[in-house]
Amino acid sequence: MEDQGRAIMEGKPLEYPEIVQDTVEVEFPEITDFVRNMKLKSGIFGFQKEDVYEKMQQLNKMYQSRAQQMRDQNRGQLKQMKKQQQEEIENLKARLAAERAEEQQKLAKEREKQEAERAKLQEQLEKERAELKEQAEKERQALQEKFDMEQK
């Protein structure tokens, strides 16, 4: 507490604790220059109230314009980020659509292969069936002839 009292007496600025850790100090040169070069008119009982009020109004306007510039800058950055994200989303959608089309083509080719193989197997099955029927018919005829011979 004594250090602060001594700092006030010597005209040194007080040290303020950091509210937010690891923040970057931002300088506003126009505001710093204004405060540094500010000359307040003094009267018999100290500074003139109107002059102090006018200087505070000017300082407030400077802070307000700086705040508006920062808001505008942040809005611009936000719009740019949204635009970039939208482009990334569109690129991802296009890439996914291309991959999906490629996968569908692969599936269609695989289906065609399977259909061709199935048709080939079906044809082979029909051929074997026909051969078996023919063989069974021959065996039946042979047995019929044998039976007929035995009957005579």
Side-chain angles (χ1 to χ4, degrees):
M1 192 72 172
E2 288 179 24
D3 292 336
Q4 284 185 351
R6 196 174 310 129
I8 292 171
M9 294 298 283
E10 293 174 4
K12 294 180 182 175
L14 296 176
E15 290 185 29
Y16 293 101
E18 284 190 47
I19 295 172
V20 179
Q21 298 291 330
D22 301 327
T23 56
V24 177
E25 193 172 312
V26 179
E27 291 190 26
F28 304 120
E30 69 276 4
I31 295 172
T32 306
D33 291 343
F34 175 79
V35 173
R36 190 176 296 136
N37 298 325
M38 185 169 51
K39 304 272 192 253
L40 294 173
K41 296 177 186 176
S42 59
I44 300 173
F45 300 106
F47 297 112
Q48 290 182 1
K49 186 178 179 181
E50 295 82 21
D51 190 42
V52 172
Y53 181 75
E54 181 184 332
K55 300 290 185 191
M56 291 300 112
Q57 288 294 332
Q58 289 175 354
L59 188 58
N60 183 40
K61 286 178 185 176
M62 292 174 117
Y63 275 118
Q64 291 296 328
S65 68
R66 177 55 83 155
Q68 186 61 42
Q69 288 174 355
M70 291 172 69
R71 281 192 291 270
D72 293 343
Q73 183 181 13
N74 288 340
R75 283 186 191 116
Q77 288 174 349
L78 183 62
K79 284 180 183 178
Q80 185 179 4
M81 288 171 61
K82 283 182 180 179
K83 184 179 178 182
Q84 286 175 344
Q85 285 180 342
Q86 191 62 35
E87 288 173 359
E88 287 175 10
I89 289 170
E90 294 300 323
N91 288 341
L92 285 173
K93 284 181 180 178
R95 195 173 84 208
L96 286 173
E99 287 176 4
R100 186 179 299 131
E102 185 179 323
E103 286 298 318
Q104 287 177 347
Q105 285 178 347
K106 285 179 183 177
L107 285 173
K109 286 180 182 179
E110 187 67 30
R111 280 189 202 125
E112 287 176 10
K113 247 187 218 180
Q114 288 176 352
E115 283 294 320
E117 192 174 314
R118 190 169 80 61
K120 185 178 177 182
L121 289 172
Q122 187 73 24
E123 184 181 312
Q124 188 178 4
L125 181 66
E126 291 296 326
K127 186 177 179 182
E128 288 177 5
R129 216 182 256 160
E131 288 174 2
L132 286 173
K133 274 186 178 181
E134 188 178 313
Q135 185 180 5
E137 185 62 34
K138 285 180 183 178
E139 286 178 6
R140 190 185 69 72
Q141 283 179 358
L143 285 174
Q144 185 68 35
E145 286 176 11
K146 188 177 181 184
F147 181 72
D148 285 343
M149 290 278 235
E150 287 177 2
Q151 289 288 332
K152 287 188 185 183

